[in-house]
Amino acid sequence: MIFENLKPKVVNLLTATDKTREEKLLDLCQLLSDSISYYNWVGFYFAQAETKTLHLGPYVGAPTDHTVIPFGKGICGQVAESNQNFVVPDVSAQDNYIACSFTVKSEIVVPLFVNGINIGQIDIDSHVIDPFTELDERFLEFVNQEVSKLF
């Protein structure tokens, strides 16, 4: 199972002592993008509670204009408010969706908690309709648990 094989790689990458947090997160995005065929855009957004906005962090994939997203707007903004995973099998069926690219067919967003506070999220876009399963959710929850140790 690819997710089980990736877990030790995620841990090793995030515990490296010779890189900054930003470099580790970028390397993590690259690892996930390279390892899972349907992870076509992988990135982090971080919350600014005072302004109720999400700000783009490290990512791998096509450039995006969505560097700041208000809470409640799009899939990422909804996760910032709900504190729940959000899997979108087909983005064309979502009313509150911010289109990044016509190539994006589905999306998964998993919140990142530090000390019980939602400080951001990992966001993954796919060029495939409905590729994400519960295994993706559990794996990305594991990834975020490991990422939370950097904060």
Side-chain angles (χ1 to χ4, degrees), residues 2 5-6 9 11 24 40 45 55 66 70 86-87 101 103 110 124 134 147:
I2 188 150
N5 294 337
L6 280 174
K9 293 178 182 178
V11 171
K24 291 176 186 182
N40 302 117
Y45 281 93
H55 296 261
H66 303 119
F86 199 157
V87 178
S101 165
T103 59
V110 175
I124 299 174
E134 188 174 329
V147 168

Side-chain angles (χ1 to χ4, degrees), residues 75 78-86 109-111 113 118 137:
I75 307 308
Q78 290 176 74
V79 169
E81 290 185 331
S82 73
N83 297 322
Q84 302 290 318
N85 297 351
F86 199 157
V109 180
V110 175
F113 295 98
N118 182 348
E137 286 190 75

Side-chain angles (χ1 to χ4, degrees), residues 65-127:
D65 293 334
H66 303 119
T67 58
V68 179
I69 300 173
F71 284 15
K73 180 96 169 122
I75 307 308
C76 292
Q78 290 176 74
V79 169
E81 290 185 331
S82 73
N83 297 322
Q84 302 290 318
N85 297 351
F86 199 157
V87 178
V88 182
D90 181 355
V91 296
S92 69
Q94 276 294 316
D95 290 336
N96 189 2
Y97 173 70
I98 302 172
C100 294
S101 165
F102 70 92
T103 59
V104 175
K105 305 294 185 207
S106 56
E107 182 173 11
I108 184 171
V109 180
V110 175
L112 171 61
F113 295 98
V114 175
N115 299 322
I117 297 169
N118 182 348
I119 67 153
Q121 54 207 226
I122 190 167
D123 177 20
I124 299 174
D125 293 341
S126 180
H127 299 162

Side-chain angles (χ1 to χ4, degrees), residues 53-65:
T53 53
L54 293 165
H55 296 261
L56 183 62
Y59 74 94
V60 170
T64 179
D65 293 334

Side-chain angles (χ1 to χ4, degrees), residues 11-22:
V11 171
N12 289 339
L13 190 149
L14 293 175
T15 55
T17 56
D18 60 337
K19 296 198 174 191
T20 67
R21 178 170 60 199
E22 296 293 307

